[in-house]
Amino acid sequence: MSILGSRLKKLREKHNLTQERAGEIFGLTKYQIHRYESGISNPDPDIINKFADYYGVSADYLLGRTDSPNPPEKDDIPEELNTLAKINQLIKEYGIEQMGFFDIEKWKSLSEEEIEEIIKHFEWVVHKAKEKNKAAREGTED
């Protein structure tokens, strides 16, 4: 078994996923997951990045280039990227990928009303963030 395969299996099991469920999440078959975990074949870089993002580890960790699952914190990471990482974590926690969040075909089946509801929700979230940021700026100008 390869380092990559061993780590993929360990992470999948840590997240209580079957090979079949992992395949569904990553758009692969159970057989492909098995082949990656057993070291019979290697995923392409895009799939490795999907694994890393989903499991919250670095691609370097998956590939055996480091034994640290997470890269050290960097002070120069823009706040926007930290926010995106938090959103990505929420997507995983709430199982949005199970609803086809990234599946364009499933988005096409939404009604106009459902799309409007999503747009309104996003607009509300952005509005609340702007209010919070404005209040924070005003609080520092005192």
Side-chain angles (χ1 to χ4, degrees):
M1 184 181 293
S2 67
I3 289 175
L4 173 63
S6 171
R7 290 184 174 175
L8 286 174
K9 182 176 182 178
K10 214 176 279 184
L11 287 164
R12 176 182 56 78
E13 290 173 345
K14 180 180 175 186
H15 285 79
N16 297 316
L17 299 174
T18 63
Q19 286 181 337
E20 185 173 3
R21 180 67 191 117
E24 291 170 3
I25 290 169
F26 299 111
L28 304 167
T29 65
K30 173 183 173 180
Y31 181 66
Q32 286 171 303
I33 297 292
H34 165 75
R35 289 178 56 85
Y36 296 154
E37 289 182 359
S38 62
I40 295 170
S41 64
N42 291 314
D44 66 42
D46 290 339
I47 298 296
I48 291 172
N49 284 331
K50 284 184 181 181
F51 288 137
D53 289 344
Y54 184 85
Y55 293 130
V57 298
S58 70
D60 282 346
Y61 172 75
L62 289 177
L63 295 170
R65 295 181 63 191
T66 179
D67 289 332
S68 174
N70 298 57
E73 293 295 319
K74 295 181 181 173
D75 293 333
D76 57 357
I77 296 176
E79 182 61 31
E80 298 83 33
L81 292 182
N82 287 333
T83 302
L84 290 174
K86 290 175 188 172
I87 291 170
N88 190 36
Q89 184 62 36
L90 287 172
I91 287 170
K92 285 186 246 177
E93 286 177 18
Y94 286 96
I96 293 174
E97 77 278 353
Q98 295 172 17
M99 299 180 342
F101 190 75
F102 300 106
D103 185 345
I104 298 300
E105 291 304 312
K106 290 182 182 175
W107 279 96
K108 289 179 183 177
S109 67
L110 291 174
S111 70
E112 285 295 321
E113 293 82 20
E114 290 168 322
I115 292 171
E116 280 299 315
E117 190 173 324
I118 291 168
I119 291 169
K120 287 177 184 174
H121 180 72
F122 284 162
E123 288 172 348
W124 178 82
V125 170
V126 169
H127 172 75
K128 295 303 277 183
K130 285 180 180 176
E131 282 183 348
K132 181 187 77 148
N133 290 336
K134 181 181 176 188
R137 279 193 308 273
E138 290 173 354
T140 59
E141 293 174 5
D142 291 340

